[in-house]
Amino acid sequence: MKLLKYIIIFSFCSATKGYCQSSANDYTLENIIEIAKSESIANKISVAHHQRNIAQYNSYKKLFLPEISFTSNILDYSKDYFSVIQPSGTISFQSRSQNYSTLGLAITQIVPQTGGTVSVSSNLTRFDDFILKEKQYNGIPINLSIRQPINAYNEYKWLNIIEPIRLENTKRRSVAELAQISLLTTKLYFNVIEGKSSFDLSEEAYKTFQRLLNEEKEKVKFGTTSLNKYSQIEIQMLDAEKLRNAALEDLNNSIVELSDYIGIHISKDNELHLPSQLPEIKIDNIDLVSSMEKNMSEYTEFKIKALEAQRDLEKVKKERYKINVGLSVGYNSTDNHLGNVYSRANPRQSATLSLNFPILDWGRLKETAKAAEYNLKEVELAIESDKKIILQNMRRAVNGIEYSLKDIEISRKMLEIAKQRYSLLIDQFSTGKITVTDLINSQQENNVANQSYIRSLRKYWENYYELTVFVK
């Protein structure tokens, strides 16, 4: 296993003003990321999503606990006239004043291994005839019933397979979303860093050309320089002023974007530091597949998609023929006295067998099964394709880490050289040893080296947070 343990202390303090000073208004990348992880809307959405999924999992687990239910219909009163057919065939309308009341208590247990249910219940019905002034009770003191589908699709079996994986996916997704918050925060953070660097460089260039213009103005008075050279410097000063104003606008926009995302207010007066050192990360190309399987939420999502496709195929195949068996044993009785319903109860039994299968459906169920099979195949192929894409991205991030480490060191050296050269040429220009074009070229080289250094750091940190999801 390759172990990259690079801790690079950057000398950017000497290259760019102000980035390495510390005050109460300063922020580091780590500070901003921690703020985003607690205050950003993205984090709050992630937390809410996680809590919802945990609640759904808890609901699934409690599905297999015994359920106790109570039912009642205390009042079902009617007072009206109804028709009664007489022996002669005529109809006689008679009045009635009646009420039905029912109470029921049941305990039901799902049997996940078979997909059936077992229940124990007790019911009591009371009938009151207010005209005849009679009452009657009908009750089932206790009843045991079993309902069992034969060779049928078992929803509970698939729930027990899929839901634990879904819970694991929820945990992995929470970690992945925090890493995504870190990655996006890093991008926005470096947008501000680049914007601040561009503004500082353009501000420095403007002040430099302004100072040189004043010097040339004095030289024009004494006739030691030409108006053409003076005009060249003035044009460069105005151009630097335009660039400074554009850089300030870009900087303000990037600060607003960062503030909106992390959930706190950042102003251009706050100093954002370049990271002073790089984090350690263990990388091994050989273990990328196992790392994906152990850590990435995408892998558990792949498993869920494949299992759901298998479940749907089994459901289509087994719902062609439906056979249900029901058995029930218990006691029941009817009497005018409530106590006799329970003391004089008689045994009762029932058995049911129901069949339901198509005789002629023109091959519809067969084609539905074929569609489910093709769907399973399509899901499996899509998963393989997505795995390859993820592995490619992982390898790209790994390579990016290795290359950016070299690029950082090269860019740092280029920045030191460009800054020294630019400072030297400013002095030489004042003494007339170089042209305006030479000075402008040096300034551009310094700007490019500065931005290149920041971007090499940016690339490393972005690759780092892409890798933190699956390399631990």
Side-chain angles (χ1 to χ4, degrees):
M1 177 181 288
K2 297 178 181 178
L3 181 61
L4 300 182
K5 290 187 176 179
Y6 294 91
I7 302 181
I8 300 178
I9 307 298
F10 297 106
S11 59
F12 196 76
C13 299
S14 61
T16 304
K17 298 183 295 180
Y19 280 103
C20 297
Q21 298 174 357
S22 178
S23 72
N25 293 326
D26 293 358
Y27 292 102
T28 65
L29 176 59
E30 291 81 0
N31 295 150
I32 294 295
I33 287 175
E34 289 304 313
I35 291 171
K37 285 181 177 180
S38 61
E39 301 298 328
S40 67
I41 293 296
N43 176 67
K44 293 174 182 178
I45 292 174
S46 176
V47 171
H49 182 80
H50 179 80
Q51 292 172 338
R52 184 197 71 185
N53 288 343
I54 293 297
Q56 289 177 341
Y57 180 79
N58 292 335
S59 175
Y60 142 75
K61 291 295 290 182
K62 292 177 180 180
L63 179 66
F64 301 102
L65 298 177
E67 179 181 285
I68 302 175
S69 60
F70 172 76
T71 59
S72 67
N73 185 16
I74 299 175
L75 182 64
D76 186 4
Y77 175 74
S78 61
K79 183 178 181 181
D80 56 8
Y81 289 88
F82 68 102
S83 61
V84 178
I85 300 177
Q86 304 299 308
S88 63
T90 60
I91 296 177
S92 174
F93 292 96
Q94 299 180 11
S95 65
R96 63 181 173 185
S97 178
Q98 301 171 344
N99 183 63
Y100 287 91
S101 300
T102 61
L103 296 174
L105 184 66
I107 301 176
T108 305
Q109 174 66 60
I110 292 172
V111 184
Q113 294 81 0
T114 64
T117 58
V118 177
S119 65
V120 178
S121 61
S122 178
N123 295 281
L124 177 65
T125 301
R126 171 172 168 163
F127 170 71
D128 290 280
D129 190 321
F130 299 109
I131 295 177
L132 299 178
K133 297 183 179 179
E134 293 180 354
K135 64 178 182 291
Q136 189 174 16
Y137 295 94
N138 181 55
I140 302 175
I142 188 169
N143 185 72
L144 172 65
S145 63
I146 300 173
R147 297 289 180 267
Q148 178 61 55
I150 304 300
N151 194 32
Y153 165 72
N154 185 352
E155 176 187 5
Y156 308 117
K157 179 191 77 172
W158 287 102
L159 283 174
N160 281 332
I161 295 173
I162 294 175
E163 290 304 316
I165 301 175
R166 205 183 298 279
L167 176 64
E168 175 63 22
N169 180 67
T170 295
K171 297 175 181 177
R172 293 188 182 189
R173 183 172 175 177
S174 295
V175 174
E177 286 173 346
L178 286 176
Q180 188 63 29
I181 289 172
S182 299
L183 176 60
L184 185 52
T185 303
T186 299
K187 292 180 178 181
L188 295 174
Y189 185 91
F190 273 96
N191 285 348
V192 177
I193 291 289
E194 289 184 20
K196 184 65 165 60
S197 175
S198 296
F199 174 74
D200 288 345
L201 290 171
S202 59
E203 175 77 2
E204 181 182 356
Y206 171 72
K207 291 180 178 179
T208 297
F209 282 113
Q210 193 177 47
R211 177 176 60 81
L212 294 175
L213 184 67
N214 291 331
E215 292 177 359
E216 290 300 308
K217 187 175 181 179
E218 293 298 320
K219 292 179 181 179
V220 168
K221 291 180 180 180
F222 295 102
T224 57
T225 189
S226 66
L227 288 174
N228 180 56
K229 185 177 181 181
Y230 177 85
S231 299
Q232 283 183 313
I233 297 174
E234 187 175 18
I235 290 173
Q236 292 304 315
M237 183 195 73
L238 294 173
D239 186 59
E241 185 176 13
K242 285 179 61 180
L243 293 175
R244 182 194 65 177
N245 294 337
L248 180 59
E249 181 182 2
D250 292 341
L251 173 60
N252 288 333
N253 290 337
S254 62
I255 289 174
V256 170
E257 290 178 359
L258 177 62
S259 298
D260 288 346
Y261 184 74
I262 66 175
I264 67 168
H265 176 69
I266 300 290
S267 72
K268 61 184 179 63
D269 297 326
N270 296 121
E271 200 72 55
L272 303 186
H273 294 272
L274 275 172
S276 61
Q277 65 181 29
L278 299 182
E280 298 180 10
I281 185 169
K282 296 180 180 180
I283 299 174
D284 191 339
N285 284 314
I286 299 176
D287 291 333
L288 288 180
V289 175
S290 61
S291 295
M292 178 183 68
E293 294 176 355
K294 292 178 182 177
N295 303 307
M296 293 192 70
S297 62
E298 286 84 351
Y299 182 75
T300 49
E301 288 171 4
F302 293 156
K303 292 177 68 176
I304 291 171
K305 287 180 181 178
L307 288 169
E308 287 177 339
Q310 295 172 21
R311 176 200 64 190
D312 295 342
L313 176 58
E314 180 181 293
K315 183 177 181 180
V316 169
K317 288 183 175 180
K318 290 196 171 183
E319 286 194 342
R320 181 178 178 87
Y321 303 101
K322 298 179 180 178
I323 305 174
N324 290 284
V325 174
L327 298 174
S328 177
V329 295
Y331 293 88
N332 76 326
S333 180
T334 181
D335 202 282
N336 292 331
H337 299 282
L338 178 60
N340 292 339
V341 172
Y342 293 92
S343 62
R344 300 177 182 177
N346 301 308
R348 64 181 298 272
Q349 304 87 28
S350 68
T352 60
L353 174 63
S354 64
L355 305 174
N356 187 339
F357 56 89
I359 296 176
L360 178 62
D361 68 351
W362 307 103
R364 181 182 62 83
L365 291 177
K366 184 178 179 181
E367 294 301 324
T368 303
K370 281 185 179 180
E373 290 175 353
Y374 289 132
N375 178 66
L376 174 59
K377 185 176 181 180
E378 181 182 351
V379 168
E380 290 173 344
L381 292 173
I383 288 173
E384 287 303 313
S385 175
D386 289 343
K387 282 183 179 179
K388 290 181 180 179
I389 293 173
I390 290 174
L391 288 173
Q392 288 173 3
N393 292 335
M394 292 168 68
R395 293 189 180 99
R396 178 190 56 76
V398 169
N399 293 334
I401 286 284
E402 295 176 341
Y403 292 141
S404 60
L405 284 169
K406 300 175 183 177
D407 190 50
I408 287 170
E409 186 60 26
I410 294 171
S411 298
R412 184 184 63 79
K413 291 179 180 178
M414 289 177 59
L415 177 58
E416 290 177 354
I417 295 170
K419 186 171 180 62
Q420 291 172 1
R421 183 170 181 269
Y422 180 54
S423 178
L424 178 64
L425 290 184
I426 290 176
D427 295 335
Q428 290 180 349
F429 181 83
S430 298
T431 59
K433 295 181 179 180
I434 64 169
T435 65
V436 173
T437 302
D438 294 330
L439 180 62
I440 293 170
N441 290 338
S442 177
Q443 177 205 356
Q444 291 175 346
E445 289 173 0
N446 182 59
N447 292 353
V448 169
N450 199 299
Q451 294 298 324
S452 176
Y453 179 65
I454 294 176
R455 285 168 185 162
S456 64
L457 286 176
R458 175 186 192 133
K459 182 179 178 182
Y460 181 91
W461 280 95
E462 289 179 359
N463 286 325
Y464 169 75
Y465 281 115
E466 286 183 12
L467 285 172
T468 52
V469 178
F470 43 82
V471 177
K472 297 182 179 179

